[in-house]
Amino acid sequence: MFAIGLKDIIDILIVAMLLYYLYRMMKNSGTLSLFYGVIAFIAIWVVAAEIFDMKLTGTILDKFMSIGLIVLVILFQDQIKRFLIEIGSKGSWSSIKRLFSHSKSQDKDHSNVLAVVYACMSMSKSKTGALIVVQRKLPLTDFEETGDIIDAKINMRLIENIFFKNSPLHDGAMIIANHKIVSVGCILPVSHDMNIPKNLGLRHRAALGMSQVTDALCIVVSEETGNISVAMDGQLKVKLTAMALEHLLSDTLE
């Protein structure tokens, strides 16, 4: 009989948590089939090397495992970087600080939410294309540096003017962080997910791609239809109402 102690239970829980995070990471990045392939390979390796003690097969699979880990690190370096930043981020402490924050600061934060919502609704009516990225826990410094740093207060008119059709910054993305418009005209990674509807354009693919490599909330205003969409955690929500957008932003621009 096998004796299972506390250490074994902790060991199993750690492995289960790592597998769950790997599953979630690959699901968000659109490579879930690769996750199943990795699990299948590990299962074959364990059966051949550990259970049936096949020395030749086990040795060959051992070599593949060592090479495969390097390949996975190269393929998912952005996701691994995101995972490590999440572990070291101070986002968990910020929620505690907000409990003791003054009510006026909350009102100020909600005014930022309303400014973004009203700007998006106005651009939706005029069918002005826009792509707005709102930072959550993970810093977006690398993406901010691809555009023009302006470091301005969040303002409805400013957002509309930046995305005005004749503006040179119209086609880039705006990044909002720490309750400020930090950078405009930014370049974002484009998602190659084949499940994206063909009627959605490059802005939607860029928003989804950004949500796959970071935890940012990405807002898209369609230039063709005026519909408002949000990409977050590798998922794309389309045709949002003003109330739905406000609710999502309230959880981000707190």
Side-chain angles (χ1 to χ4, degrees):
M1 293 181 64
F2 293 99
I4 300 178
L6 180 60
K7 185 170 66 174
D8 298 315
I9 295 175
I10 295 174
D11 190 23
I12 293 171
L13 288 175
I14 291 174
V15 173
M17 289 174 61
L18 290 174
L19 286 175
Y20 170 73
Y21 183 83
L22 183 63
Y23 168 81
R24 192 180 68 176
M25 182 178 69
M26 291 188 171
K27 181 180 180 182
N28 291 342
S29 61
T31 56
L32 191 57
S33 57
L34 182 58
F35 172 79
Y36 294 133
V38 170
I39 295 300
F41 184 84
I42 292 175
I44 294 172
W45 175 56
V46 171
V47 170
E50 300 296 331
I51 297 178
F52 292 108
D53 196 22
M54 298 177 179
K55 297 188 181 298
L56 179 59
T57 305
T59 302
I60 295 173
L61 292 179
D62 283 341
K63 298 297 182 182
F64 274 108
M65 280 294 293
S66 59
I67 298 173
L69 289 175
I70 297 174
V71 172
L72 288 176
V73 169
I74 295 173
L75 289 176
F76 296 100
Q77 54 183 326
D78 291 330
Q79 287 83 357
I80 293 171
K81 178 181 177 181
R82 172 179 171 178
F83 171 63
L84 295 175
I85 293 175
E86 282 183 352
I87 293 175
S89 68
K90 298 181 180 179
S92 57
W93 294 102
S94 61
S95 59
I96 298 175
K97 291 179 181 178
R98 284 194 296 269
L99 294 175
F100 301 98
S101 61
H102 197 269
S103 59
K104 289 184 179 179
S105 64
Q106 294 179 355
D107 295 337
K108 182 180 178 180
D109 292 343
H110 197 68
S111 70
N112 290 334
V113 171
L114 293 178
V116 176
V117 172
Y118 290 155
C120 289
M121 296 307 298
S122 177
M123 292 186 292
S124 174
K125 290 180 181 179
S126 61
K127 292 186 178 180
T128 301
L131 177 53
I132 302 172
V133 178
V134 182
Q135 178 181 296
R136 294 167 76 190
K137 290 182 181 179
L138 301 184
L140 306 176
T141 308
D142 292 342
F143 300 101
E144 293 168 5
E145 293 174 351
T146 64
D148 296 317
I149 305 295
I150 62 173
D151 195 28
K153 292 182 179 179
I154 299 174
N155 180 278
M156 172 185 170
R157 296 302 178 193
L158 177 59
I159 295 174
E160 290 185 78
N161 287 332
I162 287 173
F163 289 110
F164 181 66
K165 292 182 180 180
N166 294 328
S167 169
L169 302 173
H170 169 71
D171 291 326
M174 171 187 291
I175 294 181
I176 295 176
N178 300 319
H179 308 292
K180 284 188 175 183
I181 300 174
V182 178
S183 185
V184 295
C186 301
I187 301 172
L188 306 183
V190 178
S191 173
H192 299 286
D193 192 338
M194 300 302 293
N195 296 321
I196 301 176
K198 295 185 182 296
N199 61 316
L200 300 181
L202 186 61
R203 283 192 183 91
H204 292 84
R205 288 190 171 273
L208 186 60
M210 188 67 169
S211 74
Q212 289 174 343
V213 299
T214 71
D215 66 342
L217 183 149
C218 307
I219 307 169
V220 180
V221 180
S222 173
E223 194 169 358
E224 287 75 24
T225 64
N227 291 332
I228 297 175
S229 305
V230 165
M232 186 169 61
D233 297 327
Q235 302 294 324
L236 186 63
K237 300 178 181 180
V238 297
K239 297 182 180 179
L240 293 184
T241 62
M243 186 177 297
L245 179 60
E246 182 180 353
H247 176 71
L248 289 173
L249 282 172
S250 296
D251 294 335
T252 303
L253 285 175
E254 294 177 340

